[in-house]
Amino acid sequence: MIEPLSPLLIEPAVKAALLEDLGRAGDLTSQATVPSNKDALVVMRARQPGTVAGLDTARMAFRLVDSELRCSVQNPDGSDVAPGDIIMAIEGRARSILTGERVALNFLGHLSGIATATREIVKAVEGTKARITCTRKTTPNLRAFEKYAVRCGGGVNHRFGLDDGVLIKDNHIAAAGGITAAIESARGHIGHMVKIEIEVDTLEQLKEALGAGADIVMLDNMGPDMLREAVAINAGRAVLEASGRVTAQTAGPIAQAGVDIISAGWITHSAPCLDIGLDYESSL
Amino acid sequence: MIEPLSPLLIEPAVKAALLEDLGRAGDLTSQATVPSNKDALVVMRARQPGTVAGLDTARMAFRLVDSELRCSVQNPDGSDVAPGDIIMAIEGRARSILTGERVALNFLGHLSGIATATREIVKAVEGTKARITCTRKTTPNLRAFEKYAVRCGGGVNHRFGLDDGVLIKDNHIAAAGGITAAIESARGHIGHMVKIEIEVDTLEQLKEALGAGADIVMLDNMGPDMLREAVAINAGRAVLEASGRVTAQTAGPIAQAGVDIISAGWITHSAPCLDIGLDYESSL
Amino acid sequence: MIEPLSPLLIEPAVKAALLEDLGRAGDLTSQATVPSNKDALVVMRARQPGTVAGLDTARMAFRLVDSELRCSVQNPDGSDVAPGDIIMAIEGRARSILTGERVALNFLGHLSGIATATREIVKAVEGTKARITCTRKTTPNLRAFEKYAVRCGGGVNHRFGLDDGVLIKDNHIAAAGGITAAIESARGHIGHMVKIEIEVDTLEQLKEALGAGADIVMLDNMGPDMLREAVAINAGRAVLEASGRVTAQTAGPIAQAGVDIISAGWITHSAPCLDIGLDYESSL
Amino acid sequence: MIEPLSPLLIEPAVKAALLEDLGRAGDLTSQATVPSNKDALVVMRARQPGTVAGLDTARMAFRLVDSELRCSVQNPDGSDVAPGDIIMAIEGRARSILTGERVALNFLGHLSGIATATREIVKAVEGTKARITCTRKTTPNLRAFEKYAVRCGGGVNHRFGLDDGVLIKDNHIAAAGGITAAIESARGHIGHMVKIEIEVDTLEQLKEALGAGADIVMLDNMGPDMLREAVAINAGRAVLEASGRVTAQTAGPIAQAGVDIISAGWITHSAPCLDIGLDYESSL
Amino acid sequence: MIEPLSPLLIEPAVKAALLEDLGRAGDLTSQATVPSNKDALVVMRARQPGTVAGLDTARMAFRLVDSELRCSVQNPDGSDVAPGDIIMAIEGRARSILTGERVALNFLGHLSGIATATREIVKAVEGTKARITCTRKTTPNLRAFEKYAVRCGGGVNHRFGLDDGVLIKDNHIAAAGGITAAIESARGHIGHMVKIEIEVDTLEQLKEALGAGADIVMLDNMGPDMLREAVAINAGRAVLEASGRVTAQTAGPIAQAGVDIISAGWITHSAPCLDIGLDYESSL
Amino acid sequence: MIEPLSPLLIEPAVKAALLEDLGRAGDLTSQATVPSNKDALVVMRARQPGTVAGLDTARMAFRLVDSELRCSVQNPDGSDVAPGDIIMAIEGRARSILTGERVALNFLGHLSGIATATREIVKAVEGTKARITCTRKTTPNLRAFEKYAVRCGGGVNHRFGLDDGVLIKDNHIAAAGGITAAIESARGHIGHMVKIEIEVDTLEQLKEALGAGADIVMLDNMGPDMLREAVAINAGRAVLEASGRVTAQTAGPIAQAGVDIISAGWITHSAPCLDIGLDYESSL
């Protein structure tokens, strides 16, 4: 089961999104056309196959618009759905539902798109030990939500920011004067709870990184053969992370090379929205 | 020329994104590996063809990290770039540049992706009177930025929220008791600066909407032939907006049918990030 | 019936006002003099004739101070009240009521003052087609509330900000190089949901504005005769808005000239507070 | 000279007001009609006689829109101005000036209206020892600004909130079981830096309040004769504050009765805006 | 009984502290190790003797993490507790309790430490008329809470900020040109609800301050003999506040000298945390 | 050299603290007594021996009050100072300096107190490999600042929150069904950048934790002999952290037992403020 995000994180983001949509005058259309005493039962339905993520954000949107709306989940976060599957039903004042609809769907579609993209790669590596992870290439101000969606898709999370892990890249290496110098410098700087990862392009660099005691080595843009060689060189010392042009097609061979982690930036920054619609079942 | 967004809108969003990335301890890696007195000159380079949007957000990210960084734009917002083209150069403390890099790229890549998607459709309708527009299907809390990116791509903006335009959809029509009733009810409710748009599925509905005096009629999911018929029925009375499954491929025929506006949701909710990298030109 | 403002808009403004009043130590006087277990029933009573607006803000103030206070409305927003009429009753802990009283009355009196001023002009034009509207001359950070109060008084709203309508004034005309140039430039810039209004001082200007296709023309400081002429020239093409020195006395003749809209800045920026008092009915 | 408000207080209020006006898309009209390279010199001119207050808020509005605008004050806060007098000149990009104009004028007109109302009463009591003071009947979330405007008008400030002074009214007295009990209870509750004021309706109550050691006694709705008697009874012991229906007409006799302080609620909650316009001197 | 702080003040501070602790991913440990359906009953127990303060902050922490947690107070704010005494019991989901535990204890321990330090000095002056007060030497952004804790310990509060009282120190005296000049200047500047305190080092200065009509005189760093002399000179005119190196040891003699108020900075800025632990009574 | 905190973290905290102190009316005393054109040169001087931390917060306080104040640092963060040593000099308007003084000193004294406490223990373990670390027992909403102060004192940081490290305590172990189960459950839950620490009370537990592959083992409340035994059992596998009753007196023997890390809660929650004063050198 996927651990829900704290409402303390969800509420301010959803509230801001509702205010963004309500503007200074609220939902003119629904106020003008929908009688205030009219109730409705609606359902959110997948219009594409995919994986659900973000129901708590959608529920929060409806609840903040009208605390008397009732939501019942049919396919919780992490579920695989087929076109036509009902994800969540909402019942209550029709006007409130219409007012909250777009914000609820914008969150749910965006996060489910990320979960769907993640799940696709996760399935492609099934049977291997490789786990799929995300990056810091996230949409501004939605990182906690997008990382959560990655978990819903079956992935695991890379670091959440610049402060909860060291990730030494080529520019850092150049600035520090080499791989060993960079790792040693990092180790002297950080606390004992922080891991050090370093990005390498060659097997020579991998060897130096292992010698310097990196916790994780990111093998950037290596093909399956080179990755296999890297796995052999590593001999279980560091965690090995493969990165670069990872898709559902390329992930299988990468995983079979024996790496521990495969990271993909596009699952957070370029996954298309999952198409989810809101259908009126009846006017109560 | 595209009007820049006010810094009053840009600063809080970029500041929040930086805090999201810096967390509680800041950029551990750069602090540990890059000497504080080391300067650098870096350039942001397109790695794909596309259209630039969001340079002010990127510049704000660097400026907020270190007010002494100097940015010089080579290809301003709205420019078409080819792989390898330099978009902006940044010069100053290497550590500051590395700290701001990810947030700057996350904004710039996301917004340029939207501009690129928009431009593609805009080009497909060149020579017709049709203008390309976006929807409210935007990423939560980034609407003003994504609508701006649509403008950078050559599109125009639909309403910004629930409060600055009336858009009557099928559920509103049903609740109000018909097209005419809905439009009249809306007209009685709103101020004189607000326009009324109504969504229709059939030409019968179009006729009723025109009779009731809609300012804009959205023709949902109609093929080019039906759209042509709609244009004829309209005879210049209302603004006609075509929507539904609009891509660079389908947009041409839709535009040639003679509609005024073509709207596409995916350009804001599903456009992939434009691939832009940050290259170190030299260590000064 | 007047559509209520969303609690998402009301809550932060009322919370800020309570914190402004509570300061860093809260209500010293009530804490010192009123036993914490003492209950009371109080009523808000009009001390002047007027129109009620803002009960949700008053109720929110009491609810945020003490969620157990019970409010029951006698004269909802939009009601005309006479001196002595009860507007709302509040029951619960006496200390909580005293703590919330001033903020509740400050909101209610301010907004009811605006509704009262609006209603007065609205009544003066009864029997004509003219509608009364407000401007952007509102009290800083209270615009959504004051525009709502105008609706409570029977008025309609002009644009809410710089972004939801184009209003071209003399300085814009001068900068653009004339009325036609300004309107055409605006039309090229904005989306299809945005209306264009232009302010004119003479009938010549009106003709040019109509020729350029303005949606609304603001006739500034014209007397009834000139307005009648303007209505004839317009012949139903644009919406006509009369502005300048509008009071309950001058509004009748202006309306009878046949304009569609009459705007008045003072109803939001200079309407005196409606005198409403809080009376203790009994100590329970 | 009037002490300026801290920019730490001014900036957030003005920034919020600008965002309220800019909305999600900024100043459509100026962007569309005013060339971005056009400069202008404008002046804020009084159109009515009055007293200036709030220039720092107006300046902040222009500065936040465009940090390159230059403001030069002709009549600082606290000045009496006649119709036609220039208050402040602003020079720089025409478009920026137009964008900031309304927010600047909304603050300046509102606060100058309060200063003007205050000054009128202050002048009416010249030659007496009475000082004019405001109340907590202020516009929500503008208290610090309105209290500042009272100072600009020559008044002094009453308490700023529920926490920086004790003011015992009839309901507190009733709840505490009498005047003496209320004062004693308050004294036991508060710190040594807090003063105790009590509101009385009769001279008997005044005597009891003096006996109980009130620092200030508010004499509510007493005529000049009764006030004179109260002054005699007081014999210099407490500070005496007269309140109730205070206007420029009634203030003189009240002051001549010998009270120390005269308070008026309407100067903050009902003073009409001072009419100030923004004139274009030239296009540079 | 101690008046509780308003939830309007407590909620934002506690919410911010929870977000500080939850970061971007929440409580990894509890999510990973504690089944979501497991309930627990825990108690907060004093591990040292002391005085309780801050239970509403602790309760708010648990409530914000999980609104279904139930708290029952055994020893309310202001109680003296012995090691082993239960202060509050909490019942509900074990995972929620663990997530809220640290923030709850950080508030409760910090504030109880201040109450304990205050109580110690308060006890040392029992039987005298002296009251113990705090200063503005508080932990940034916790002033309202720390001043509340002082009240829980039996102290009273000095001014809350720069704006609710005048406190003239040596640098102000020097700048104003002497004690009399400083007091007169202050009196002309402030409203009638504000008291004037002045700090003096010598008995000569005391005499000048009394002559100039100071409301309170702070006698800085005077020994018991000199204080006694000051009390005699004062002869009941001003409130006398002794300050400087006040501890539970020195407070008795200072109080016996006859001063009204004794202030101590360290009780807010340097009081050690009261040791309070959270014990699991049972897994339900 | 200690890496400075980002101004993005410092500015909001210091701004909030200034607003807390300025309240609604600002610095009454300085406004009333200090001429606005008077300049001064002041120095912050240590009145006790200690270690400096927080100069950027103090500088920010002065800069936010008055951007023209000039600060020059004599003893940067991390310096050991003796009584009388100048830490920083500030020059500019006397009134501004007086207004910012208290907030600047409250931050600087609090953080320097923590640095001083840390340094004391750091010195006690000099010559061993043990590093001193802090805990999550920090003052609410000041964690990033207090952790920074620990670094200034020569310590390293433990995790910053619940989300950047797993720390399994007795209650988690009980809930998970044992040490091995808890560690395995955690490993399955978290990403590859997160370390797992577990708290143990006995050497048996240590062995189980090592067998289960804990990254760090916290040895709670063990004496030097038992710690030495633990070090031998560990044989370099996990990082060993000793905790419980750590002071400058006890730290030496603990460190000599061979542990890697020694953690102390009191250095953040109970370190007394370092006494630093602000002296006027001259009135310029």
Side-chain angles (χ1 to χ4, degrees), chain B residues 3, chain C residues 175, chain D residues 34-40 92-95 284:
Chain B
E3 284 314 311
Chain D
V34 183
S36 65
N37 61 351
K38 191 180 178 63
D39 279 357
R93 277 198 290 187
R95 193 189 278 177
L284 302 180

Side-chain angles (χ1 to χ4, degrees), chain D residues 41-117:
Chain D
L41 169 65
V42 307
V43 293
M44 289 176 151
R45 257 206 196 85
R47 305 217 192 288
Q48 285 185 294
T51 304
V52 177
L55 280 171
D56 280 348
T57 55
R59 191 168 15 204
M60 182 70 82
F62 288 117
R63 195 173 72 71
L64 287 173
V65 167
D66 180 346
S67 60
E68 293 175 15
L69 296 181
R70 292 168 301 286
C71 298
S72 58
V73 172
Q74 309 283 321
N75 274 292
D77 283 5
S79 307
D80 281 332
V81 287
D85 282 358
I86 292 176
I87 298 173
M88 183 165 74
I90 305 103
E91 195 174 345
R93 277 198 290 187
R95 193 189 278 177
S96 302
I97 293 172
L98 282 160
T99 299
E101 170 184 351
R102 180 50 35 222
V103 169
L105 286 175
N106 283 352
F107 268 105
L108 188 62
H110 181 70
L111 298 179
S112 297
I114 291 169
T116 300

Side-chain angles (χ1 to χ4, degrees), chain A residues 220-264:
Chain A
D220 196 36
N221 274 319
M222 298 185 180
D225 291 345
M226 195 167 167
L227 286 172
R228 217 175 328 261
E229 219 174 321
V231 170
I233 289 166
N234 183 50
R237 277 177 291 175
V239 169
L240 292 186
E241 173 182 340
S243 80
R245 298 183 201 129
V246 173
T247 65
Q249 282 64 51
T250 63
I254 293 173
Q256 281 144 20
V259 297
D260 304 286
I261 298 283
I262 301 175
S263 59

Side-chain angles (χ1 to χ4, degrees), chain D residues 126-282:
Chain D
E126 256 172 9
T128 73
K129 71 168 174 180
R131 295 198 293 172
I132 304 305
T133 193
C134 49
T135 66
R136 279 169 49 246
K137 297 180 179 175
T138 55
T139 312
N141 298 320
L142 289 177
R143 187 167 290 166
F145 297 92
E146 297 186 344
K147 296 249 172 190
Y148 168 78
V150 167
R151 297 197 294 276
C152 291
V156 293
N157 294 146
H158 211 295
R159 60 178 182 162
F160 274 71
L162 291 162
D163 64 325
D164 62 339
V166 166
L167 176 38
I168 303 171
K169 302 196 172 188
D170 48 0
N171 292 310
H172 300 108
I173 296 172
I179 285 175
T180 306
I183 292 175
E184 273 166 14
S185 174
R187 191 170 297 121
H189 183 81
I190 58 176
H192 63 294
M193 291 296 279
V194 181
K195 288 193 179 175
I196 297 176
E197 176 166 4
I198 189 159
E199 183 183 314
V200 302
D201 297 314
T202 68
L203 298 176
E204 273 322 293
Q205 286 184 310
L206 167 63
K207 287 172 196 164
E208 184 176 355
L210 292 171
D215 294 302
I216 301 116
V217 181
M218 183 191 287
L219 308 164
D220 197 35
N221 274 319
M222 298 186 180
D225 291 345
M226 194 166 168
L227 287 172
R228 217 176 326 262
E229 219 174 321
V231 170
I233 288 167
N234 184 49
R237 276 177 292 174
V239 170
L240 292 187
E241 173 182 342
S243 79
R245 298 185 201 127
V246 173
T247 65
Q249 283 65 49
T250 62
I254 293 174
Q256 281 144 20
V259 297
D260 305 287
I261 299 282
I262 302 174
S263 59
W266 72 271
I267 56 175
T268 48
H269 68 61
S270 293
C273 209
L274 184 69
D275 193 0
I276 299 171
L278 194 141
D279 299 326
Y280 276 68
E281 291 304 273
S282 61

Side-chain angles (χ1 to χ4, degrees), chain A residues 13 16-17 20-35 38 98-99 102 106-107 110 136-144 159-168 171-172 175-176 182 185-186 189-190 194 269-273 278 280, chain B residues 13 16-17 20-35 38 98-99 102 106-107 110 136-144 159-168 171-172 175-176 182 185-186 189-190 194 269-273 278 280:
Chain A
E20 181 186 55
D21 204 24
L22 290 171
R24 288 157 299 204
D27 183 357
L28 296 183
T29 312
S30 301
Q31 289 170 6
T33 59
V34 182
K38 189 181 179 64
L98 282 159
T99 298
R102 179 52 32 222
N106 283 351
F107 268 105
H110 181 70
R136 280 169 49 246
K137 297 180 179 175
T138 54
T139 313
N141 298 320
L142 289 176
R143 187 166 290 165
R159 60 178 182 161
F160 274 71
L162 291 162
D163 65 325
D164 63 337
V166 165
L167 176 39
I168 303 170
N171 293 309
H172 300 107
S185 173
H189 183 82
I190 58 175
V194 182
H269 68 61
S270 293
C273 209
L278 194 142
Y280 276 67
Chain B
E20 180 186 57
D21 203 26
L22 289 171
R24 291 158 296 205
D27 183 356
L28 297 183
T29 311
S30 301
Q31 289 170 6
T33 60
V34 182
K38 189 181 181 62
L98 283 159
T99 298
R102 179 52 33 223
N106 283 352
F107 268 105
H110 181 70
R136 280 170 47 248
K137 296 179 180 175
T138 54
T139 312
N141 298 318
L142 289 177
R143 188 166 289 167
R159 61 178 181 161
F160 274 72
L162 292 162
D163 64 326
D164 61 340
V166 165
L167 176 39
I168 302 170
N171 293 309
H172 300 108
S185 174
H189 182 82
I190 59 176
V194 181
H269 68 59
S270 292
C273 209
L278 195 143
Y280 277 68

